[in-house]
Amino acid sequence: AQKVTQAQTEISVVEKEDVTLDCVYETRDTTYYLFWYKQPPSGELVFLIRRNSFDEQNEISGRYSWNFQKSTSSFNFTITASQVVDSAVYFCALGAAGNKLTFGGGTRVLVKP
Amino acid sequence: DTEVTQTPKHLVMGMTNKKSLKCEQHMGHRAMYWYKQKAKKPPELMFVYSYEKLSINESVPSRFSPECPNSSLLNLHLHALQPEDSALYLCASSQGLAGGTDTQYFGPGTRLTVL
C-alpha cells in the first residue's frame, strides 16, 4: 500500500520569507514517481514537478526547489522569497505502475503581504 | 499546450435533476480521469478511462455514470444525486497508460452543489 504524509496542514509566512513543505511517503515499489501540485483558490491543480525514484538529484526551478532523500523517504519542497501569488494548497503525490496516484493531505500556504 | 477544459464551471442541481459534466483535452493523451474533491481534502479518484475504455471504477455509486465518446472527450452524467455529492469535480488526462507514473494534467474543475 502507498501512503503520503504532509504533516503541516497550514503554514503562514510574510512575503519574501522562505517556506519549506514536508512530504514523507511509504511504498514497497522500487520504481515509483513523486509529484507536487499547486491548487490555488480557483481550484485547478497545477503540475509543478515529477521525479522518479532513481533520480535523487535536487532540482531548482526559479524560486522553487525540491529535495529528494530516498534514505528518509522524503520529497520536500521549498519556495524561496515567497510571494502573495504563492498562496495555495500544495499536494505531494506518489505513483507507481499499476497503482493510482496517492495524494497527501495537502498543505495550505498563506503568504501575507 | 497542457490544457484540459471543463464545463460548466459551476452547477447547481436538485436531487431529481439529470445533468452532465464535460471534459476535453487536445494533447493526444490516452488516459482520462474523474476525481471528486471535498473541501480541505485531496482529490479522490472516481473513474479512469484508458484508450476510451473504462479501466477503473473506484466503487462509485451508479448515480454517477461516466462516458468517453472519443479520445478527447470525457463526460460524467449525474442523476438523482444527494447533497453529500456536492464537491469540486476534477478531470485529468495523462499521456501514457492509466496509472500513477505519468504526469496527470488537471482541468479547472466543476463546482457542483446539490440542493
Side-chain angles (χ1 to χ4, degrees), chain B residues 4-5 15 22 24 32 47 56 62-63 66-67 100 103-104:
Chain B
V4 176
T5 59
M15 289 190 284
K22 296 185 184 301
E24 190 167 4
M32 296 186 76
F47 302 103
I56 297 176
S62 59
R63 58 185 184 269
E67 178 196 20
T103 299
Q104 293 183 26

Side-chain angles (χ1 to χ4, degrees), chain A residues 37 39 44 50 95 97 99-100 104, chain B residues 37 42 58 99-101 103-104:
Chain A
Y37 285 89
Q39 188 173 37
E44 179 176 359
R50 170 180 180 256
N99 288 326
K100 63 183 180 182
Chain B
Q37 186 179 23
E58 289 285 304
T101 57
T103 299
Q104 293 183 26

